[in-house]
Amino acid sequence: MKRIGIGLDLGGTTMLAAAVSEEGKILKQEIRETPVREEANITLSSIVDLLRFIESWSLNENLEIVGIGLGLPGLVNFKTGVVKLMPNFPEMRGFPIIDKLKKYFDYKLFYENDASAALLGEYRFGAGKGVDDIICFTIGTGIGGAVLIDGKLLRGPEGFAGELGHITLDPDGPLCGCGNKGCLEALASASAIVRIAKKIISEGKIKTSLSNYLERGEELNASIVAQEANKGDLLAKKIYKETGKWLGIAIGSLANVFSTHLFLIGGGVANAGDILFNPMKDEAFKRAMPGIREKIKIDRFKLGDDAGVIGASTLPFFN
């Protein structure tokens, strides 16, 4: 009987669950919209329904389920399983999510921060294979981060370490979902890209193809801004250049702290390509010290959007 792990990658917009083999191969996956600003028990119910869908498929395929792994955003106490903070899920604060889930499933449950799960996926099966020191960013609705040192995740005493999206880069900058001002997440996430674009468009001082989407009643997103930037729209290009700059400042600073050579970038915003990566690399090399900057490598996730769920699903095999 083939052994598999079931995993969940919980995002601010969508949640993805999958059945994954020991070799990191996805056998079945399902993606659904994440309940937004609902009660904690409604979010829990949606998670349970999604995991049960994958569980049912796996049992019908006569697969042995070794355990369930969860990639969870924000701060979840690694000892108690209680949510300390999820910026995109304020209703989950203080919610004992792991104990609640244990009531629905008889399998062993494992959990990591969602960015940590993605980093483990890349470390074991993707762009970080064979490299024991890696820092990663997952850039979507928010910005997650994780740090691997000597092949081990940096967790801290409660498991809260690695919240790289909440490094303060501009003390007087925009308000972040965590309550602070000027976090990297508030400056360079997909949400930030859309917020900045809408603000500039509303001022009416710059001609941009992005206005056409709003005039047609379409909702802007970071992918559309990237698409127009790659077509040459000046405003869209400027926004992505600024986004890359903020990320590069963070990477250069972290390289100085950890002397890490490999930085992996995942999430939907990473799909923008060179319009994001070129200014990011330029700024990172500018900020890192001599002797460190020459060794920095910035790369995209090899596993793409599946990194998080693959990393989560294979937690039962590595614990």
Side-chain angles (χ1 to χ4, degrees):
M1 185 180 291
K2 191 174 185 65
R3 295 175 4 126
I4 59 104
I6 292 177
L8 173 80
D9 183 12
L10 179 63
T13 306
T14 59
M15 51 183 177
L16 172 66
V20 180
S21 70
E22 290 182 80
E23 299 77 30
K25 182 180 179 181
I26 292 178
L27 305 178
K28 178 69 174 179
Q29 65 179 351
E30 176 81 0
I31 187 167
R32 295 180 183 175
E33 289 187 5
T34 302
V36 178
R37 300 295 188 267
E38 298 285 359
E39 294 180 6
N41 282 321
I42 293 177
T43 303
L44 176 72
S45 178
S46 297
I47 292 171
V48 170
D49 287 347
L50 181 56
L51 290 173
R52 279 182 167 166
F53 174 84
I54 297 297
E55 175 193 30
S56 177
W57 179 88
S58 301
L59 294 176
N60 286 338
E61 294 294 316
N62 199 33
L63 299 170
E64 179 187 352
I65 301 170
V66 176
I68 296 175
L70 310 168
L72 302 174
L75 308 180
V76 180
N77 191 298
F78 204 71
K79 297 176 181 177
T80 65
V82 175
V83 176
K84 178 75 172 178
L85 175 69
M86 286 186 181
N88 294 308
F89 299 86
E91 72 281 358
M92 298 294 283
R93 186 189 291 264
F95 191 69
I97 187 168
I98 301 305
D99 282 347
K100 292 284 187 180
L101 283 170
K102 284 179 178 178
K103 295 178 181 179
Y104 293 92
F105 299 99
D106 294 329
Y107 314 104
K108 287 185 178 180
L109 256 62
F110 304 87
Y111 59 99
E112 291 284 358
N113 174 269
D114 57 347
S116 295
L119 176 51
L120 289 175
E122 290 293 328
Y123 173 57
R124 290 165 179 159
F125 308 107
K129 194 170 184 179
V131 182
D132 286 339
D133 296 271
I134 310 168
I135 292 176
C136 88
F137 292 89
T138 55
I139 313 171
T141 306
I143 294 183
V147 180
L148 190 79
I149 300 174
D150 294 332
K152 296 180 180 179
L153 285 172
L154 178 64
R155 289 200 182 96
E158 295 176 296
F160 298 162
E163 284 293 328
L164 307 181
H166 299 286
I167 298 171
T168 300
L169 295 183
D170 181 0
D172 300 315
L175 184 66
C176 183
C178 72
N180 189 21
K181 284 187 175 182
C183 291
L184 178 63
E185 180 171 303
L187 296 165
S189 64
S191 303
I193 289 169
V194 173
R195 186 195 71 244
I196 293 166
K198 286 182 175 180
K199 180 178 183 296
I200 296 175
I201 291 169
S202 69
E203 294 170 352
K205 297 177 182 179
I206 299 177
K207 187 176 181 180
T208 170
S209 60
L210 297 174
S211 300
N212 299 333
Y213 292 87
L214 299 181
E215 291 169 2
R216 292 195 298 263
E218 298 179 32
E219 190 60 42
L220 271 186
N221 58 48
S223 295
I224 288 173
V225 180
Q227 173 186 300
E228 295 305 310
N230 280 311
K231 288 180 180 178
D233 183 83
L234 295 180
L235 174 59
K237 287 171 67 176
K238 180 181 178 182
I239 291 172
Y240 264 93
K241 183 177 181 180
E242 193 73 5
T243 300
K245 172 189 166 185
W246 288 121
L247 289 164
I249 291 172
I251 289 171
S253 300
L254 290 166
N256 290 338
V257 173
F258 291 103
S259 192
T260 300
H261 298 161
L262 181 59
F263 290 81
L264 298 179
I265 313 295
V269 173
N271 296 329
D274 289 345
I275 57 166
L276 175 73
F277 277 81
N278 286 345
M280 186 196 311
K281 291 176 180 178
D282 289 345
E283 198 67 32
F285 298 154
K286 186 192 302 181
R287 302 283 174 173
M289 295 187 297
I292 294 176
R293 68 166 66 108
E294 295 85 357
K295 298 177 181 178
I296 291 176
K297 181 182 179 184
I298 302 172
D299 206 352
R300 290 174 60 178
F301 281 13
K302 183 177 179 180
L303 304 178
D305 294 339
D306 294 331
V309 77
I310 290 174
S313 298
T314 53
L315 287 175
F317 297 117
F318 293 90
N319 285 280

